[in-house]
Amino acid sequence: MNKKLYTVIIFSENTVGLLNQITIIFTRRQLNIETLSVSPSAIKGIHKFTITTWAEKDMMNKVVKQIDKRVDILKAYYNTDEDLVHQEIALYKLSTDLFVKMKGVEDLIRKYNARVLEMNEDCIVLEKSGHYAETQALFEELSHSIGVLQFIRSGRVAITKSKVERLSDMLTEMEKKANG
Amino acid sequence: MDNTKEKITGSEALLRTLIAEGVDTIFGYPGGQVIPLYDCLYDYSDRLRHILVRHEQGATHAAQGYARVSGKVGVALVTSGPGATNTITGIADALMDSTPMVVITGQVPSALLGSDAFQEVDVIGIAQPITKWAFQIRKPEEIVWAISRAFYIASTGRPGPVVIDFAKDAQVGTVEYEYKKVNNIRSYQPIPVIDPESIAAAAELINNAAKPFALVGQGVILGGAEKELFAFLEKADIPAASTVLGLSAMPTDYRLNKGMLGMHGNVAPNRKTNECDVLIAIGMRFDDRVTGNLEYYARQAKIIHFDIDLSEIGKNVPTDIPVLGDAKETLPAVTALLRPSVHTEWIASFASDEQEEYEKVINKEIHPSADRPLQMGEVVDKIAKASGTDAVLVTDVGQNQMMGVRYFQYGRTRSVVTSGGLGTMGYGLPAAIGAKIGAPERTVCLFTGDGGLQMTIQELGTIMQEKLNLKIIVLNNHYLGMVRQWQELFFDKRYSATTMENPDFTAIGEAYRIQSRTVGNREELDEAIAEMFAGEDAYMLVADVETHGMVYPMVPAGAAITNIIMGEESHE
């Protein structure tokens, strides 16, 4: 077993039920989805899925081909972390009472490059973006000091380092092919 | 507003679009959420022939049988809820076997969707894993686009099933009808662009091969590439064998046809798979029933894989040279680069294995000694000879299927209708109905078992109503024979839940006004076969065959493809 964390990037038409079609293929191959992020892409009407999963390369190859085959999928491919700039965002809800009494707030904020999004009598919400390990480190530090009331982390978003992602060029190419 | 366009109901728009897509036959069953559509169909009965099946599963298998013999898209029409869920087996079967089919399911009015309305079920959610595309029509304006797109997707590239879920309010609402054909989808490229480098690499490998061997799959038939296949095989003098679904792409008596691959395939092609130096797979997908244990499959050979579906390349067997594209185009492209060659010695080397199989298996199966009960293989062999080489073979699943495909004879393409990938018992009878309707001029012979027949036996009513001239042969061994065979060989003869107490099939046939006859010995069999083919009506021949009959040769599941059981001891 030689499993690595892969990031699968999928461009699709914005049709009902596409997420289901994609997750079915992961399920059949017994792959767990670690993170998932879906949003409109730079081009109107086209959605981008970013999915991370632990898998072997051979399996990843087969899965991505099966995803790419679906009628409403424009393009699917995968990368490993070396090829990507990737980011996750995390929110931390903390007790205001404990936070203001805590020592070294400035150091903590600087060290983690976190910022305060909300502050009221009851709670403070911090935000930090970064890799999983970075957002996790802040979570652990806060958990051990004053405790975290609520914590949420987004799925990964990623962009390839190698070349500009020319989705519009790809689309023009596809439309040319489709029109024979 | 443009007043020249007429407004018609969604139901009528759907039927007109079907006609525009070339449909003339629908297999269906009405119900609550398609009554408006069926009401409209009443006015179109001169242009759309509706075959009333007896169960919705039958509609899908009939549509499959129709598609397989005709090459057209099969159409099934059913109601919502249970009508829709009853089609699931046929849809899954069509996806596995790349059969073009459009299934139209009724659906509750769109305002009720998600409310657990009467006979509501999430058809799209259920169908997505087993379709090429599934779409719900909620507005009449979507009908022309969705139906035309459905036919385009079902019939192009690697064919497959599409489900269209048709909400009732879209059936009764009105729309300005204008047919517009869908013939491209930007996110869907049905035929990959041919890569000249892979064509050249494939040709070079074949030109340098001493022992090339071709595996013919259904892709050749689906692509209509039979002539291109012959030109390819002839030029380089390559022996070839078929998968179950590839059968009939080459005639049985063709010089380079070396038979069938796989678990119950012929001995020579299975052994030669592990002796050849270049293995050329054409439109097949290296199913585990073809390959056996992959660890021991063709490890000595370079593998060339022709396919239209990129996701099949390397899925099961690592490929040295993938040749992506439509076989009708890729085969001639490679053939053009081939040097004419002869492989006389290599081809002759198949003969000893063929002889061994004939002596150990075939001869005993088709020419059993007089004291032995009727054998399944001899029944198939006699019927194959009596039906002529233009006949279509339809089978159910199990021993009847393997005996059918092994001993039937093929004279032309599109002559085999069987459930290959999914292995659906109950497929045979309704598929035979579709096959006869899709090829009315051809003799259609169904081989089924006592188990499979009873899974969809109600379709005898469809045969009666449509007055179809089907030749139904029931190989009755009073067992679920293939499972019993595994129990005999691998489970210490513990026949768990495989014995069948059967009804009088002849009486059932007669109840449906189908001439029927049960035979238990060779004289009766010969008489019944003559009687069956003398008439122009449906006939059911129930052959009481040996209860413990076995299908040999057999490669046990999970064993190497050369690990072949011949069953020499058991029948002596």
Side-chain angles (χ1 to χ4, degrees):
Chain A
M1 298 292 269
N2 195 8
K3 285 195 175 185
K4 273 183 104 162
L5 185 70
Y6 287 95
T7 302
V8 181
I9 296 173
I10 303 161
F11 291 100
S12 80
E13 302 289 358
N14 181 18
T15 48
V16 179
L18 248 178
L19 179 59
N20 187 32
Q21 293 184 42
I22 294 168
T23 55
I24 286 164
I25 296 167
F26 281 85
T27 308
R28 279 189 77 188
R29 296 288 196 170
Q30 309 232 338
L31 294 178
N32 275 338
I33 289 177
E34 287 289 319
T35 74
L36 165 69
S37 156
V38 190
S39 61
S41 74
I43 293 174
K44 200 174 173 222
I46 293 179
H47 268 57
K48 181 173 173 172
F49 296 71
T50 309
I51 299 171
T52 59
T53 186
W54 289 90
E56 290 170 58
K57 186 171 175 140
D58 182 49
M59 174 67 76
M60 210 61 259
N61 250 320
K62 292 173 185 175
V63 164
V64 164
K65 280 196 270 190
Q66 285 179 327
I67 294 171
D68 203 27
K69 175 175 156 178
R70 300 299 307 177
V71 167
D72 288 319
I73 301 289
L74 288 151
K75 188 71 201 160
Y77 55 89
Y78 66 89
N79 288 105
T80 50
D81 286 358
E82 307 88 88
D83 310 324
L84 295 170
V85 177
H86 58 94
Q87 197 75 313
E88 289 168 7
I89 188 164
L91 301 177
Y92 311 74
K93 190 195 280 185
L94 311 166
S95 152
T96 306
D97 272 357
L98 296 175
F99 189 71
V100 295
K101 288 176 197 156
M102 191 172 96
K103 292 199 172 95
V105 168
E106 187 192 346
D107 285 352
L108 184 90
I109 298 281
R110 284 186 187 283
K111 178 176 161 196
Y112 286 99
N113 200 19
R115 55 188 192 128
V116 178
L117 288 186
E118 163 73 10
M119 193 169 185
N120 61 41
E121 287 175 356
D122 300 320
C123 72
I124 284 175
V125 177
L126 296 188
E127 179 227 280
K128 163 157 187 60
S129 54
H131 288 177
Y132 176 88
E134 295 169 325
T135 56
Q136 187 66 17
L138 176 57
F139 173 73
E140 278 165 17
E141 184 160 348
L142 286 167
S143 297
H144 291 133
S145 53
I146 58 169
V148 178
L149 298 176
Q150 267 183 45
F151 172 67
I152 181 77
R153 178 162 37 218
S154 75
R156 169 183 287 195
V157 291
I159 222 159
T160 52
K161 286 178 192 171
S162 54
K163 57 185 174 204
V164 188
E165 228 167 59
R166 288 208 176 275
L167 180 59
S168 53
D169 291 354
M170 191 176 79
L171 271 185
T172 316
E173 189 65 20
M174 280 180 171
E175 277 169 5
K176 215 164 69 188
K177 272 184 199 160
N179 290 319
Chain B
M1 202 178 124
D2 182 357
N3 290 324
T4 57
K5 286 180 195 157
E6 53 176 332
K7 277 205 156 195
I8 60 173
T9 64
S11 294
E12 190 169 4
L14 180 124
L15 297 181
R16 285 204 200 176
T17 312
L18 289 179
I19 293 166
E21 290 293 333
V23 175
D24 55 19
T25 307
I26 297 173
F27 302 92
Y29 203 103
Q33 300 302 346
V34 284
I35 294 176
L37 188 50
Y38 268 88
D39 182 65
C40 188
L41 188 60
Y42 201 62
D43 295 327
Y44 277 79
S45 56
D46 55 333
R47 282 155 283 177
L48 288 168
R49 179 182 181 191
H50 180 270
I51 310 294
L52 177 65
V53 294
R54 295 300 183 268
H55 184 286
E56 289 90 349
Q57 182 185 352
T60 54
H61 295 326
Q64 288 179 277
Y66 177 89
R68 289 273 278 274
V69 296
S70 70
K72 293 171 70 177
V73 178
V75 180
L77 170 60
V78 301
T79 191
S80 66
T85 54
N86 281 343
T87 64
I88 296 305
T89 303
I91 295 168
D93 193 290
L95 185 73
M96 279 285 241
D97 285 356
S98 311
T99 307
M101 175 165 76
V102 171
V103 177
I104 299 162
T105 57
Q107 183 54 282
V108 301
S110 52
L112 294 178
L113 284 166
S115 72
D116 300 328
F118 179 65
Q119 292 190 331
E120 184 198 359
V121 77
D122 175 15
V123 180
I124 300 297
I126 295 171
Q128 261 174 349
I130 50 168
T131 48
K132 257 186 107 173
W133 189 55
F135 183 78
Q136 187 172 61
I137 297 175
R138 298 182 190 185
K139 293 195 282 270
E141 292 76 21
E142 296 166 334
I143 292 168
V144 172
W145 173 83
I147 296 296
S148 187
R149 202 176 197 256
F151 278 80
Y152 176 63
I153 291 170
S155 62
T156 53
R158 180 175 176 178
V162 171
V163 165
I164 295 292
D165 195 30
F166 195 15
K168 194 172 189 178
D169 49 329
Q171 297 172 36
V172 297
T174 59
V175 62
E176 285 178 357
Y177 178 78
E178 188 184 14
Y179 174 68
K180 191 163 177 286
K181 188 160 183 61
V182 172
N183 52 22
N184 79 71
I185 297 168
R186 69 175 179 182
S187 57
Y188 169 64
Q189 190 187 356
I191 302 173
V193 178
I194 295 178
D195 168 21
E197 278 179 31
S198 72
I199 299 283
E204 194 192 336
L205 207 50
I206 297 166
N207 279 333
N208 292 316
K211 296 186 282 183
F213 184 38
L215 313 180
V216 175
Q218 195 196 189
V220 171
I221 298 170
L222 292 170
E226 295 88 350
K227 279 189 185 135
E228 290 77 5
L229 173 70
F230 297 137
F232 169 80
L233 298 176
E234 285 293 332
K235 189 165 179 187
D237 201 29
I238 304 171
S242 299
T243 65
V244 167
L245 296 186
L247 286 171
S248 84
M250 299 180 285
T252 304
D253 60 3
Y254 175 51
R255 177 180 72 91
L256 294 169
N257 184 354
K258 297 298 170 193
M260 187 175 91
L261 298 159
M263 182 176 270
H264 295 290
N266 294 112
V267 170
N270 283 336
R271 286 186 182 155
K272 294 298 172 184
T273 298
N274 280 5
E275 290 175 29
C276 64
D277 58 357
V278 176
L279 191 68
I280 307 148
I282 309 163
M284 56 84 77
R285 59 185 178 84
F286 293 106
D287 179 80
D288 57 274
R289 287 297 194 260
V290 162
T291 64
N293 190 333
L294 289 169
E295 293 292 316
Y296 306 101
Y297 183 77
R299 301 306 281 237
Q300 81 295 343
K302 292 277 185 197
I303 296 179
I304 302 172
H305 191 178
F306 287 75
D307 213 289
I308 203 164
D309 179 357
L310 173 66
S311 74
E312 288 299 344
I313 304 294
K315 187 183 78 175
N316 297 332
V317 172
T319 303
D320 294 288
I321 300 175
V323 182
L324 280 169
D326 186 340
K328 202 171 177 64
E329 294 164 18
T330 51
L331 280 173
V334 172
T335 306
L337 303 179
L338 292 180
R339 277 195 309 272
S341 49
V342 285
H343 297 107
T344 314
E345 214 173 301
W346 164 237
I347 292 168
S349 75
F350 282 67
S352 61
D353 291 336
E354 286 168 354
Q355 186 60 29
E356 184 185 343
E357 181 179 347
Y358 187 82
E359 283 166 12
K360 289 182 177 168
V361 178
I362 299 172
N363 192 41
K364 287 191 285 189
E365 189 65 40
I366 64 177
H367 303 124
S369 51
D371 56 334
R372 293 195 43 216
L374 281 180
Q375 300 296 300
M376 293 180 275
E378 72 173 314
V379 178
V380 178
D381 179 64
K382 282 182 169 170
I383 287 167
K385 283 169 180 151
S387 66
T389 51
D390 189 54
V392 176
L393 167 74
V394 185
T395 79
D396 206 81
V397 163
Q399 289 185 318
N400 64 83
Q401 176 184 35
M402 289 300 114
M403 287 296 183
V405 295
R406 279 181 59 81
Y407 294 106
F408 209 70
Q409 290 173 26
Y410 314 104
R412 61 184 265 196
T413 191
R414 290 193 180 275
S415 294
V416 179
V417 178
T418 191
S419 170
L422 199 66
T424 304
M425 277 178 72
Y427 174 94
L429 189 62
I433 291 170
K436 185 64 193 176
I437 291 167
E441 75 292 351
R442 300 179 69 183
T443 300
V444 175
C445 298
L446 164 68
F447 289 90
T448 184
D450 42 315
L453 175 63
Q454 292 183 77
M455 282 197 174
T456 48
I457 197 165
Q458 68 280 356
E459 300 303 339
L460 290 172
T462 311
I463 295 169
M464 172 175 68
Q465 188 161 349
E466 295 295 329
K467 299 181 174 54
L468 298 172
N469 175 11
L470 269 184
K471 308 307 183 192
I472 303 163
I473 300 98
V474 186
L475 300 175
N476 184 7
N477 56 11
H478 300 272
Y479 272 104
L480 298 174
M482 189 58 92
V483 176
R484 193 210 63 77
Q485 172 165 344
W486 284 47
Q487 289 169 336
E488 177 174 333
L489 292 173
F490 313 119
F491 290 86
D492 205 19
K493 302 189 180 178
R494 288 156 53 86
Y495 298 127
S496 178
T498 44
T499 52
M500 289 274 251
E501 188 166 325
N502 285 325
D504 178 350
F505 290 118
T506 308
I508 291 177
E510 296 290 347
Y512 282 102
R513 288 183 239 131
I514 294 168
Q515 188 182 353
S516 303
R517 180 168 173 181
T518 299
V519 300
N521 64 53
R522 297 192 168 86
E523 295 69 45
E524 287 172 355
L525 174 65
D526 292 340
E527 281 172 30
I529 291 172
E531 187 175 82
M532 177 167 76
F533 288 113
E536 290 294 310
D537 298 312
Y539 191 101
M540 183 154 73
L541 194 170
V542 183
D544 277 334
V545 294
E546 180 176 358
T547 53
H548 285 204
M550 306 282 275
V551 185
Y552 290 118
M554 179 179 191
V555 177
I561 199 66
T562 48
N563 181 355
I564 302 169
I565 308 176
M566 300 279 199
E568 294 141 84
E569 14 352 85
S570 62
H571 280 186
E572 291 305 319

